[in-house]
Amino acid sequence: MDDRPIGVFDSGLGGLTAVREIRSILPFENIIYFGDTSRVPYGGRSQEILLKYARQDVHFLRSFDIKALLVACGTVSTTALPTLEKESDLPILGVVEPACRRALAVTRNKRVGLIATAASVRSGAYERTIAAMDGEVTVIARACPLFVPLVENGRYRVGDSVIETVAREYLEPLKAEGIDTLILGCTHYPLLEEVVGQIMGPGVTLVDSGAQAARQLKASLTERDALCGRRQGSITLYASDITGDFGALAPQFLREPAPGVLEVDIDKY
Ligand code: DGL
């Protein structure tokens, strides 16, 4: 039994989709979330800058006595995770491996699509991970750089002509490839589930990478006998820049009321 909190971070709001899943399957855990809102989006940045940001994010969360850390950011998971893991004595989980496992479990025709940020697609991490698990699966990847800014601005609903136009442009070529499974490789994208589902149609199963990572977190805590013994869990939200949008959108990402957001100067870490 371990009552210490779990640390979770992302560039912005997206990682709250992973927190939503943690809350649903591990409701008694305390979660400390950090959204790097002063530097979002991460998706177009270089590997060096992403590693620098990720190290600061980890350093901040480790200033709390956390028992595990979930990198609820596809971009950091695909670029910096191996280095973060090497540098840490704490269990650190990312979203890539759990999402790939799920995609392989659901694909029937072995044609798997991936949508993610430019940095994630450039990294080739999903292709490498899937190839190591099943050499017969073809991965067709597409970077969707406009999705994160649109979601962070609340433009993710069905009927919003801007997001629908952008999504059609990104997704129609993937649909034409005959994929039957689509990995949402960025934790902002589950907010777009309806828009994406409408374009891809019922024959394509969507894989939520943050939710899959949350399930792996549960398995890992269970295996280490590190679940908490309390009967009530909490969420504490930190951001590196407090904007009205973060507070206003957080409940929609979490699908529950959100606590007030606390500001942190991430440059100090
Ligand atoms: N949620 C982040 C991810 O999963 C978004 C990255 C960004 O800020 O561009 O990749």
Side-chain angles (χ1 to χ4, degrees):
M1 199 181 300
D2 189 338
D3 282 347
R4 292 177 299 161
I6 297 163
V8 181
F9 77 88
D10 181 37
S11 57
L13 285 156
L16 292 177
T17 60
V19 172
R20 169 168 92 205
E21 183 68 11
I22 300 174
R23 295 278 293 162
S24 130
I25 58 178
L26 293 168
F28 305 134
E29 298 291 340
N30 284 348
I31 300 162
I32 300 178
Y33 182 86
F34 172 63
D36 196 3
T37 47
S38 66
R39 303 188 291 202
V40 68
Y42 278 11
R45 300 190 193 274
S46 67
Q47 196 118 1
E48 293 70 34
I49 289 291
L50 288 167
L51 182 57
K52 176 184 157 195
Y53 288 180
R55 280 181 171 139
Q56 289 179 300
D57 302 344
V58 171
H59 190 197
F60 167 63
L61 284 170
R62 293 211 64 177
S63 67
F64 303 89
D65 185 19
I66 55 174
K67 62 181 169 185
L69 196 142
L70 178 61
V71 179
C73 176
T75 306
V76 171
S77 299
T78 53
T79 55
L81 187 64
T83 308
L84 298 178
E85 278 172 330
K86 262 185 237 138
E87 292 173 350
S88 173
D89 50 347
L90 183 81
I92 301 190
L93 301 171
V95 303
V96 177
E97 202 197 299
C100 292
R101 271 191 205 294
R102 179 72 191 150
L104 294 185
V106 297
T107 184
R108 295 167 307 280
N109 70 4
K110 294 193 184 271
R111 293 183 69 72
V112 172
L114 164 73
I115 52 173
T117 65
S120 286
V121 169
R122 211 176 330 148
S123 76
Y126 280 93
E127 286 91 332
R128 277 197 304 279
T129 307
I130 287 185
M133 292 172 178
D134 184 341
E136 286 177 8
V137 171
T138 304
V139 180
I140 300 129
R142 178 89 210 234
C144 305
L146 293 175
F147 276 176
V148 169
L150 285 171
V151 170
E152 288 275 330
N153 282 284
R155 306 294 298 268
Y156 54 79
R157 292 185 182 85
V158 167
D160 182 314
S161 60
V162 175
I163 190 64
E164 287 187 341
T165 305
V166 170
R168 262 197 304 277
E169 184 173 319
Y170 287 148
L171 299 174
E172 270 163 8
L174 275 180
K175 193 174 177 190
E177 292 278 353
I179 58 168
D180 73 351
T181 305
L182 178 61
I183 299 175
L184 308 181
C186 168
T187 51
H188 281 71
Y189 298 176
L191 268 285
L192 296 169
E193 223 157 22
E194 260 191 89
V195 171
V196 173
Q198 199 168 271
I199 295 166
M200 299 309 290
V204 176
T205 305
L206 306 184
V207 174
D208 177 336
S209 56
Q212 294 306 320
R215 284 172 210 160
Q216 177 153 327
L217 172 71
K218 181 177 181 180
S220 147
L221 292 176
T222 308
E223 195 185 319
R224 285 164 44 212
D225 192 21
L227 294 169
C228 78
R230 276 184 317 269
R231 304 305 292 168
Q232 198 181 354
S234 68
I235 310 176
T236 309
L237 297 180
Y238 286 92
S240 50
D241 186 18
I242 298 200
T243 59
D245 286 350
F246 192 98
L249 289 171
Q252 291 168 52
F253 277 73
L254 290 168
R255 294 208 192 116
E256 65 171 306
V261 186
L262 307 166
E263 190 158 357
V264 55
D265 180 359
I266 196 64
D267 287 330
K268 291 199 179 131
Y269 293 86

PDB file of all heavy atoms in Angstrom, residues 180-198:
ATOM      1  N   ASP A 180      -8.185  -0.116 -40.199  1.00  0.00           N
ATOM      2  CA  ASP A 180      -9.364  -0.479 -39.387  1.00  0.00           C
ATOM      3  C   ASP A 180      -9.198  -0.040 -37.929  1.00  0.00           C
ATOM      4  O   ASP A 180     -10.084  -0.254 -37.104  1.00  0.00           O
ATOM      5  CB  ASP A 180      -9.677  -1.981 -39.487  1.00  0.00           C
ATOM      6  CG  ASP A 180      -8.684  -2.859 -38.735  1.00  0.00           C
ATOM      7  OD1 ASP A 180      -7.650  -2.343 -38.260  1.00  0.00           O
ATOM      8  OD2 ASP A 180      -8.940  -4.073 -38.626  1.00  0.00           O
ATOM      9  N   THR A 181      -8.034   0.540 -37.622  1.00  0.00           N
ATOM     10  CA  THR A 181      -7.733   0.977 -36.252  1.00  0.00           C
ATOM     11  C   THR A 181      -6.990   2.300 -36.360  1.00  0.00           C
ATOM     12  O   THR A 181      -6.131   2.453 -37.234  1.00  0.00           O
ATOM     13  CB  THR A 181      -6.812  -0.070 -35.569  1.00  0.00           C
ATOM     14  OG1 THR A 181      -7.457  -1.349 -35.641  1.00  0.00           O
ATOM     15  CG2 THR A 181      -6.527   0.275 -34.121  1.00  0.00           C
ATOM     16  N   LEU A 182      -7.325   3.240 -35.483  1.00  0.00           N
ATOM     17  CA  LEU A 182      -6.639   4.535 -35.529  1.00  0.00           C
ATOM     18  C   LEU A 182      -6.194   4.906 -34.120  1.00  0.00           C
ATOM     19  O   LEU A 182      -7.017   5.069 -33.209  1.00  0.00           O
ATOM     20  CB  LEU A 182      -7.574   5.619 -36.089  1.00  0.00           C
ATOM     21  CG  LEU A 182      -6.992   7.038 -36.159  1.00  0.00           C
ATOM     22  CD1 LEU A 182      -5.761   7.113 -37.066  1.00  0.00           C
ATOM     23  CD2 LEU A 182      -8.061   8.029 -36.656  1.00  0.00           C
ATOM     24  N   ILE A 183      -4.875   5.022 -33.945  1.00  0.00           N
ATOM     25  CA  ILE A 183      -4.337   5.427 -32.641  1.00  0.00           C
ATOM     26  C   ILE A 183      -4.414   6.952 -32.535  1.00  0.00           C
ATOM     27  O   ILE A 183      -3.891   7.671 -33.391  1.00  0.00           O
ATOM     28  CB  ILE A 183      -2.864   4.973 -32.488  1.00  0.00           C
ATOM     29  CG1 ILE A 183      -2.741   3.451 -32.563  1.00  0.00           C
ATOM     30  CG2 ILE A 183      -2.273   5.508 -31.180  1.00  0.00           C
ATOM     31  CD1 ILE A 183      -1.305   2.935 -32.546  1.00  0.00           C
ATOM     32  N   LEU A 184      -5.069   7.420 -31.471  1.00  0.00           N
ATOM     33  CA  LEU A 184      -5.064   8.844 -31.165  1.00  0.00           C
ATOM     34  C   LEU A 184      -3.793   9.065 -30.339  1.00  0.00           C
ATOM     35  O   LEU A 184      -3.787   8.915 -29.121  1.00  0.00           O
ATOM     36  CB  LEU A 184      -6.317   9.248 -30.383  1.00  0.00           C
ATOM     37  CG  LEU A 184      -7.668   8.821 -30.991  1.00  0.00           C
ATOM     38  CD1 LEU A 184      -8.833   9.303 -30.125  1.00  0.00           C
ATOM     39  CD2 LEU A 184      -7.826   9.334 -32.419  1.00  0.00           C
ATOM     40  N   GLY A 185      -2.691   9.369 -31.044  1.00  0.00           N
ATOM     41  CA  GLY A 185      -1.372   9.353 -30.412  1.00  0.00           C
ATOM     42  C   GLY A 185      -1.045  10.612 -29.636  1.00  0.00           C
ATOM     43  O   GLY A 185       0.078  10.782 -29.188  1.00  0.00           O
ATOM     44  N   CYS A 186      -1.995  11.475 -29.500  1.00  0.00           N
ATOM     45  CA  CYS A 186      -1.810  12.711 -28.731  1.00  0.00           C
ATOM     46  C   CYS A 186      -2.976  12.791 -27.750  1.00  0.00           C
ATOM     47  O   CYS A 186      -4.123  12.530 -28.119  1.00  0.00           O
ATOM     48  CB  CYS A 186      -1.838  13.895 -29.689  1.00  0.00           C
ATOM     49  SG  CYS A 186      -1.973  15.494 -28.884  1.00  0.00           S
ATOM     50  N   THR A 187      -2.661  13.145 -26.515  1.00  0.00           N
ATOM     51  CA  THR A 187      -3.692  13.076 -25.472  1.00  0.00           C
ATOM     52  C   THR A 187      -4.736  14.187 -25.569  1.00  0.00           C
ATOM     53  O   THR A 187      -5.709  14.181 -24.825  1.00  0.00           O
ATOM     54  CB  THR A 187      -3.036  13.088 -24.079  1.00  0.00           C
ATOM     55  OG1 THR A 187      -2.130  14.195 -24.007  1.00  0.00           O
ATOM     56  CG2 THR A 187      -2.297  11.798 -23.814  1.00  0.00           C
ATOM     57  N   HIS A 188      -4.534  15.119 -26.493  1.00  0.00           N
ATOM     58  CA  HIS A 188      -5.595  16.103 -26.741  1.00  0.00           C
ATOM     59  C   HIS A 188      -6.719  15.504 -27.607  1.00  0.00           C
ATOM     60  O   HIS A 188      -7.840  16.004 -27.607  1.00  0.00           O
ATOM     61  CB  HIS A 188      -5.049  17.325 -27.485  1.00  0.00           C
ATOM     62  CG  HIS A 188      -4.322  18.306 -26.616  1.00  0.00           C
ATOM     63  ND1 HIS A 188      -3.094  18.051 -26.076  1.00  0.00           N
ATOM     64  CD2 HIS A 188      -4.664  19.559 -26.215  1.00  0.00           C
ATOM     65  CE1 HIS A 188      -2.696  19.106 -25.377  1.00  0.00           C
ATOM     66  NE2 HIS A 188      -3.630  20.031 -25.441  1.00  0.00           N
ATOM     67  N   TYR A 189      -6.384  14.485 -28.382  1.00  0.00           N
ATOM     68  CA  TYR A 189      -7.307  14.039 -29.422  1.00  0.00           C
ATOM     69  C   TYR A 189      -8.588  13.338 -28.949  1.00  0.00           C
ATOM     70  O   TYR A 189      -9.568  13.320 -29.696  1.00  0.00           O
ATOM     71  CB  TYR A 189      -6.583  13.149 -30.442  1.00  0.00           C
ATOM     72  CG  TYR A 189      -5.450  13.816 -31.208  1.00  0.00           C
ATOM     73  CD1 TYR A 189      -4.666  13.082 -32.100  1.00  0.00           C
ATOM     74  CD2 TYR A 189      -5.158  15.169 -31.058  1.00  0.00           C
ATOM     75  CE1 TYR A 189      -3.629  13.668 -32.804  1.00  0.00           C
ATOM     76  CE2 TYR A 189      -4.100  15.757 -31.753  1.00  0.00           C
ATOM     77  CZ  TYR A 189      -3.343  15.002 -32.617  1.00  0.00           C
ATOM     78  OH  TYR A 189      -2.307  15.582 -33.316  1.00  0.00           O
ATOM     79  N   PRO A 190      -8.629  12.733 -27.772  1.00  0.00           N
ATOM     80  CA  PRO A 190      -9.902  12.131 -27.358  1.00  0.00           C
ATOM     81  C   PRO A 190     -11.059  13.139 -27.330  1.00  0.00           C
ATOM     82  O   PRO A 190     -12.217  12.757 -27.492  1.00  0.00           O
ATOM     83  CB  PRO A 190      -9.596  11.581 -25.957  1.00  0.00           C
ATOM     84  CG  PRO A 190      -8.149  11.252 -26.029  1.00  0.00           C
ATOM     85  CD  PRO A 190      -7.536  12.353 -26.859  1.00  0.00           C
ATOM     86  N   LEU A 191     -10.734  14.414 -27.161  1.00  0.00           N
ATOM     87  CA  LEU A 191     -11.796  15.427 -27.248  1.00  0.00           C
ATOM     88  C   LEU A 191     -12.391  15.468 -28.656  1.00  0.00           C
ATOM     89  O   LEU A 191     -13.510  15.928 -28.853  1.00  0.00           O
ATOM     90  CB  LEU A 191     -11.221  16.812 -26.898  1.00  0.00           C
ATOM     91  CG  LEU A 191     -11.280  17.300 -25.453  1.00  0.00           C
ATOM     92  CD1 LEU A 191     -12.660  17.722 -25.064  1.00  0.00           C
ATOM     93  CD2 LEU A 191     -10.752  16.268 -24.496  1.00  0.00           C
ATOM     94  N   LEU A 192     -11.623  14.985 -29.616  1.00  0.00           N
ATOM     95  CA  LEU A 192     -12.074  15.012 -31.013  1.00  0.00           C
ATOM     96  C   LEU A 192     -12.700  13.686 -31.440  1.00  0.00           C
ATOM     97  O   LEU A 192     -12.946  13.480 -32.626  1.00  0.00           O
ATOM     98  CB  LEU A 192     -10.875  15.305 -31.931  1.00  0.00           C
ATOM     99  CG  LEU A 192     -10.222  16.671 -31.755  1.00  0.00           C
ATOM    100  CD1 LEU A 192      -8.906  16.734 -32.516  1.00  0.00           C
ATOM    101  CD2 LEU A 192     -11.168  17.754 -32.254  1.00  0.00           C
ATOM    102  N   GLU A 193     -12.923  12.815 -30.470  1.00  0.00           N
ATOM    103  CA  GLU A 193     -13.407  11.466 -30.779  1.00  0.00           C
ATOM    104  C   GLU A 193     -14.635  11.481 -31.698  1.00  0.00           C
ATOM    105  O   GLU A 193     -14.711  10.725 -32.656  1.00  0.00           O
ATOM    106  CB  GLU A 193     -13.755  10.754 -29.481  1.00  0.00           C
ATOM    107  CG  GLU A 193     -13.281   9.339 -29.459  1.00  0.00           C
ATOM    108  CD  GLU A 193     -13.104   8.811 -28.041  1.00  0.00           C
ATOM    109  OE1 GLU A 193     -13.718   9.363 -27.107  1.00  0.00           O
ATOM    110  OE2 GLU A 193     -12.344   7.846 -27.880  1.00  0.00           O
ATOM    111  N   GLU A 194     -15.566  12.373 -31.387  1.00  0.00           N
ATOM    112  CA  GLU A 194     -16.807  12.394 -32.193  1.00  0.00           C
ATOM    113  C   GLU A 194     -16.537  12.886 -33.601  1.00  0.00           C
ATOM    114  O   GLU A 194     -17.034  12.316 -34.581  1.00  0.00           O
ATOM    115  CB  GLU A 194     -17.810  13.337 -31.528  1.00  0.00           C
ATOM    116  CG  GLU A 194     -18.856  12.618 -30.704  1.00  0.00           C
ATOM    117  CD  GLU A 194     -19.951  13.586 -30.309  1.00  0.00           C
ATOM    118  OE1 GLU A 194     -20.913  13.729 -31.077  1.00  0.00           O
ATOM    119  OE2 GLU A 194     -19.783  14.230 -29.250  1.00  0.00           O
ATOM    120  N   VAL A 195     -15.746  13.963 -33.708  1.00  0.00           N
ATOM    121  CA  VAL A 195     -15.426  14.528 -35.031  1.00  0.00           C
ATOM    122  C   VAL A 195     -14.664  13.479 -35.852  1.00  0.00           C
ATOM    123  O   VAL A 195     -14.988  13.218 -37.017  1.00  0.00           O
ATOM    124  CB  VAL A 195     -14.564  15.814 -34.865  1.00  0.00           C
ATOM    125  CG1 VAL A 195     -14.024  16.291 -36.201  1.00  0.00           C
ATOM    126  CG2 VAL A 195     -15.374  16.910 -34.190  1.00  0.00           C
ATOM    127  N   VAL A 196     -13.676  12.857 -35.219  1.00  0.00           N
ATOM    128  CA  VAL A 196     -12.849  11.865 -35.920  1.00  0.00           C
ATOM    129  C   VAL A 196     -13.697  10.634 -36.281  1.00  0.00           C
ATOM    130  O   VAL A 196     -13.647  10.128 -37.406  1.00  0.00           O
ATOM    131  CB  VAL A 196     -11.639  11.447 -35.041  1.00  0.00           C
ATOM    132  CG1 VAL A 196     -10.869  10.290 -35.663  1.00  0.00           C
ATOM    133  CG2 VAL A 196     -10.710  12.636 -34.811  1.00  0.00           C
ATOM    134  N   GLY A 197     -14.504  10.193 -35.326  1.00  0.00           N
ATOM    135  CA  GLY A 197     -15.342   9.007 -35.549  1.00  0.00           C
ATOM    136  C   GLY A 197     -16.310   9.215 -36.703  1.00  0.00           C
ATOM    137  O   GLY A 197     -16.551   8.304 -37.499  1.00  0.00           O
ATOM    138  N   GLN A 198     -16.831  10.422 -36.799  1.00  0.00           N
ATOM    139  CA  GLN A 198     -17.780  10.737 -37.865  1.00  0.00           C
ATOM    140  C   GLN A 198     -17.119  10.624 -39.242  1.00  0.00           C
ATOM    141  O   GLN A 198     -17.709  10.138 -40.186  1.00  0.00           O
ATOM    142  CB  GLN A 198     -18.252  12.178 -37.644  1.00  0.00           C
ATOM    143  CG  GLN A 198     -19.532  12.539 -38.334  1.00  0.00           C
ATOM    144  CD  GLN A 198     -20.026  13.878 -37.795  1.00  0.00           C
ATOM    145  OE1 GLN A 198     -20.757  13.934 -36.813  1.00  0.00           O
ATOM    146  NE2 GLN A 198     -19.580  14.940 -38.421  1.00  0.00           N
TER     147      GLN A 198
END
